[in-house]
């Protein structure tokens, strides 16, 4: 990928550590960890959103007030005390949306908008479709008589816990700047994906940018914050313009949560230092998956689920379903009531292979963007009126600014909801590949492909293995990757478990993968995961279409699976863990030492077997990790992973930020079981791949790694090496090696 705008900071972070702040874990708790994190080897603390959100929020993306640091965390004073604890800080910011809280009066700007209408200053804050009349607020419950439950209360209207302002001088619901509609109906404003409780902001307006960023920019000017992670830039009207304005005002290291589909490049004119690392995560995962197991795993998946082996079919069906269920308002705004154009726009969105095509109104579309739109139009024309599709494509490329921007803003939500939150829960022959930005039908990459990817990486972008948004943690994926090497044994195990406990074929196979890979896991956590997975898949239930009987069946399945198959699942997990440990240590060493700024998600310096949120935001046992850091030896998986993490972070801190990346040659019949590279002239990383297959071959025998000239010391074992070294010797104690030139 082409380098983004070079970093203006003399030296970006060497490594970051992401903390998920909650009302129970605030700034003071984070400050108590700075000594441990410094000893671990990170250079910067990376915080989840810090501005005032819904008081009970466990994630912070539901901002209610940009003028305050979140009180539940300790407020501005607590944040400054955390900064004084010694670690420079980066924070996650949310420019795309605010929350529609309950009661709605908790968002002052939203309250003003609803009370005073389109003529008020607050109306400039939010992306509202006033052309459609009073803004639709989807809050009414099921039932024909729900409107009768709306009651006047002083200068407001109440509906259960909701509270809405009365327009001055009125008393009737019909006279307001808003209208209450059923909760399943689309709102009269741009929202975040399909979440009606998050309302889109218009940060393209300089005054709104200033108001929503004042606190953050002040904290940067004071040196309290030294870097930014920008959430969901694809949702903005003008991501390029937003990032340029942000960089002009904040000369700090900045990464964007931009999801790149395989082969896609970050726009070179975006004023940021790279992405938040999902592209790196997916490449690393594929590196440890054996392509030989692909067809067997697909066959097993199809046998148990009855789902087609054609992933593209599932993606298309999923996109069309979410377009029909969730994005009617967006399609209406794009087509303005023309049925033929509406269908064409829907098919064009369903055919889009990426989250955004980067077309700016008034500018000639880049050739890459034109190619994306035209290719999508060719596919869409097979499913809708070709003339209407041609018109839709022309409007998207050269039409009115409103259409160009709206289409760009719709692409991301359709990809996210159609693929991330639907298709990936329907098509999962090997679930470790089902990650944000991942393509689960692309099973693996060769060492050469990985080297080529690293050679093009921007030097200051973030890399990661686990985040608050990953579908499963890195060690869950490390276990699942082993299945690609043992597809026959896996098929036998699943057949045995399925014969004993079954529920829904479209869910069961996903359940067995995650039960094994997250083992040990209690019934509540496992049941919660399956409940979310079933709702995301939308094949039997969904978030908007519950079914109490089915949901009870999910809980019953979770209980029976653990009670009746738990011992067998545990035995299978123990069988693969000697190989999963190799993957776990290997991917950690590779991630920290490859180009980019490595991030360690909270707790993943040791093993972490978490599933999708909120499971991956559970409290971390730092007392245990402190004891491991202080203790001798590395016999357990936890201790070994902590050793590799700490050692790699220390080595990385001694490298230049943009140190060169040079692949190293491994000779011998088992050479494809290794990934090896040199950073700069001082650091070599070696990691074992496909360990089960290597074990069947009898391990390394005559394979040789040619080290660069000089004397090298393995930081994990203390041994010294020069020249050509047998891998059987280099990797005798650990499946990875971290070497530094003496």
């Amino acid at each position: 990928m082409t380098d983004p705008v070079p970093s203006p900071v003399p030296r970006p972070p060497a490594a970051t550590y992401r903390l998920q702040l909650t009302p129970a874990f605030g700034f003071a708790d984070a400050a108590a960890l700075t000594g441990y994190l410094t000893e671990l080897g990170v250079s910067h603390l990376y915080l989840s959103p810090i501005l005032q959100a819904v008081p009970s929020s466990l994630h912070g993306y539901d901002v209610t007030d940009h003028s305050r640091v979140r009180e539940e965390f300790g407020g501005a004073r607590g944040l400054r005390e955390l900064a004084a604890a010694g670690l420079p800080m980066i924070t996650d910011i949310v420019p795309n949306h605010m929350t529609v809280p309950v009661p709605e009066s908790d968002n002052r700007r939203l309250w003003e908008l609803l009370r005073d209408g389109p003529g008020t200053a607050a109306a400039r804050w939010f992306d509202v479709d006033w052309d459609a009349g009073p803004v639709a607020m989807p809050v009414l419950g099921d039932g024909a008589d729900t409107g009768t439950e709306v009651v006047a209360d002083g200068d407001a209207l109440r509906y259960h816990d909701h509270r809405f302002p009365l327009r001055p001088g009125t008393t009737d619901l019909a006279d307001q700047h808003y209208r209450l509609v059923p909760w399943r109906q689309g709102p009269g404003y741009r929202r975040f994906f399909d979440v009606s409780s998050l309302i889109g902001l218009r940060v393209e307006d300089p005054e709104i940018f200033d108001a929503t960023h004042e606190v953050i920019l002040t904290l940067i000017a004071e040196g309290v914050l030294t870097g930014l992670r920008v959430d969901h830039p694809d949702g903005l009207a003008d991501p390029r313009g937003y990032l340029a304005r942000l960089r002009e005002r904040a000369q700090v290291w900045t990464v964007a949560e931009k999801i790149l589909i395989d082969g896609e490049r970050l726009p070179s004119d975006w004023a940021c230092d790279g992405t938040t690392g999902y592209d790196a995560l997916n490449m690393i995962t594929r590196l440890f998956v054996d392509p030989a197991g692909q067809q067997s795993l697909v066959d097993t998946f199809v046998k148990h689920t009855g789902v087609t082996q054609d992933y593209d079919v599932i993606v298309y069906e999923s996109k069309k379903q979410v377009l029909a269920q969730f994005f009617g308002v967006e399609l209406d705004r794009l087509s303005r009531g023309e049925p033929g154009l509406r269908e064409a726009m829907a098919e064009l969105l369903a055919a889009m292979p990426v989250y955004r095509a980067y077309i700016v109104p008034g500018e000639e579309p880049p050739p890459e963007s034109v190619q994306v739109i035209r290719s999508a139009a060719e596919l869409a024309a097979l499913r809708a009126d070709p003339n209407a599709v041609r018109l839709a494509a022309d409007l998207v490329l050269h039409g009115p600014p409103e259409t160009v921007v709206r289409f760009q803003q719709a692409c991301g939500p359709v990809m996210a909801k159609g693929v991330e939150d639907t298709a990936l829960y329907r098509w999962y022959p090997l679930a470790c590949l089902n990650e944000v930005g991942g393509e689960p039908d692309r099973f693996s990459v060769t060492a050469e492909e990985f080297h080529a990817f690293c050679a093009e990486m921007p030097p200051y972008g973030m890399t990661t293995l686990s985040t608050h948004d990953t579908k499963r943690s890195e060690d869950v994926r490390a276990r699942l990757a082993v299945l690609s090497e043992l597809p026959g044994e896996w098929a036998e195990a699943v057949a045995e478990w399925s014969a004993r406990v079954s529920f829904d074929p479209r869910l069961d196979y996903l359940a067995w993968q995650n039960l094994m890979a997250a083992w040990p896991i209690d019934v509540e956590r496992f049941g919660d995961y399956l409940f979310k997975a079933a709702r995301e898949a939308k094949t039997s239930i969904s978030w908007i279409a519950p079914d109490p009987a089915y949901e009870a069946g999910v809980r019953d399945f979770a209980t029976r699976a653990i009670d009746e198959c738990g011992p067998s699942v545990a035995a299978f997990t123990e069988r693969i863990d000697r190989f999963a440990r190799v993957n776990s240590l290997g991917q950690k060493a590779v991630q920290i030492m490859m180009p980019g700024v490595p991030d360690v998600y909270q707790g993943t310096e040791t093993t972490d077997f978490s599933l999708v949120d909120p499971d991956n935001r559970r409290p971390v046992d730092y007392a245990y990790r402190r004891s491991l850091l202080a203790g001798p030896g590395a016999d357990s998986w936890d201790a070994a992973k902590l050793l590799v993490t700490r050692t790699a972070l220390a080595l990385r801190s001694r490298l230049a930020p943009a140190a060169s990346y040079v692949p190293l040659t491994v000779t011998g019949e088992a050479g494809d079981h290794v990934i090896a590279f040199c950073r700069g002239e001082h650091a070599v990383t070696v990691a074992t791949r496909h360990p089960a297959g290597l074990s069947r071959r009898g391990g390394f025998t005559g394979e040789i790694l040619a080290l660069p000239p000089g004397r090298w010391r393995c930081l994990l074992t203390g041994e010294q090496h020069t020249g050509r070294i047998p891998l059987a010797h280099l990797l005798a104690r650990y499946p990875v090696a971290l070497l530094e030139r003496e």
Side-chain angles (χ1 to χ4, degrees), residues 40-242:
L40 181 65
V42 299
S43 65
H44 287 64
L45 192 58
Y46 164 30
L47 302 176
S48 59
I50 61 171
L51 296 182
Q52 187 60 49
V54 172
S56 61
S57 175
L58 299 179
H59 51 78
Y61 293 95
D62 43 3
V63 176
T64 59
D65 187 349
H66 291 87
S67 68
R68 291 187 293 145
V69 175
R70 192 166 171 189
E71 295 298 334
E72 293 79 20
F73 297 164
R77 179 177 179 180
L79 180 65
R80 289 185 170 87
E81 289 173 351
L82 171 57
L87 275 179
M89 295 191 302
I90 296 154
T91 193
D92 198 339
I93 60 172
V94 191
N96 178 66
H97 57 262
M98 289 182 79
T99 194
V100 179
V102 180
E104 286 70 10
S105 54
D106 286 349
N107 184 331
R108 179 171 60 88
R109 295 292 184 180
L110 176 65
W111 185 264
E112 293 171 2
L113 167 81
L114 297 176
R115 183 190 64 201
D116 301 329
T120 183
R124 296 176 58 185
W125 277 60
F126 302 106
D127 192 351
V128 173
D129 185 12
W130 292 110
D131 291 341
V135 56
M137 303 296 294
V139 299
L140 297 179
D142 296 321
D145 61 345
T146 54
T148 62
E149 299 169 12
V150 179
V151 297
D153 180 12
D155 61 353
L157 295 174
R158 288 191 180 275
Y159 175 73
H160 297 292
D161 292 334
H162 296 276
R163 189 166 182 262
F164 296 94
L166 280 170
R167 182 177 180 178
T170 69
T171 58
D172 192 276
L173 181 55
D175 297 327
Q176 305 311 313
H177 294 293
Y178 56 87
R179 54 192 176 94
L180 306 186
V181 299
W183 67 276
R184 288 185 176 90
Q185 184 172 321
Y189 48 83
R190 180 176 60 83
R191 57 188 168 178
F192 175 75
F193 296 168
D194 63 337
V195 185
S196 294
S197 61
L198 297 173
I199 181 171
L201 285 168
R202 296 185 61 255
V203 291
E204 64 271 22
D205 184 320
E207 289 187 21
I208 310 309
F209 177 95
D210 290 345
T212 55
H213 290 69
E214 181 180 4
V215 168
I216 294 294
L217 294 175
T218 297
L219 291 168
I220 289 172
E222 294 176 356
V224 175
L225 297 176
T226 61
L228 298 172
R229 181 256 196 200
V230 178
D231 183 67
H232 188 49
D234 278 343
L236 303 176
D238 180 14
R240 184 187 66 185
Y242 168 81

Side-chain angles (χ1 to χ4, degrees), residues 529-542:
Y529 169 75
L530 292 183
F531 185 62
K532 180 170 183 173
R535 284 188 158 189
E536 298 284 31
K538 306 172 188 66
T539 53
S540 296
I541 60 172
S542 70

Side-chain angles (χ1 to χ4, degrees), residues 497-504 508 512 515 519 523 526-527 530 552-567 569:
W497 302 333
S498 297
R500 297 169 65 179
V501 181
S502 63
F503 172 58
D504 180 348
D508 293 1
W512 294 123
L515 179 61
W519 190 265
V523 169
F526 185 46
L530 292 183
V554 170
R555 300 291 180 181
D556 179 66
F557 174 87
T559 300
R560 292 180 57 214
I562 290 177
D563 288 349
E564 299 181 32
C565 300
V569 171

Side-chain angles (χ1 to χ4, degrees), residues 332-356:
D332 288 342
R333 293 184 79 172
L334 283 171
S335 61
R336 284 304 176 193
E338 298 183 30
L341 183 58
R342 191 182 195 279
E343 181 186 5
M345 284 290 186
E347 292 293 351
L348 189 59
L349 283 166
M352 285 291 291
V354 294
Y355 281 69
R356 194 173 177 119

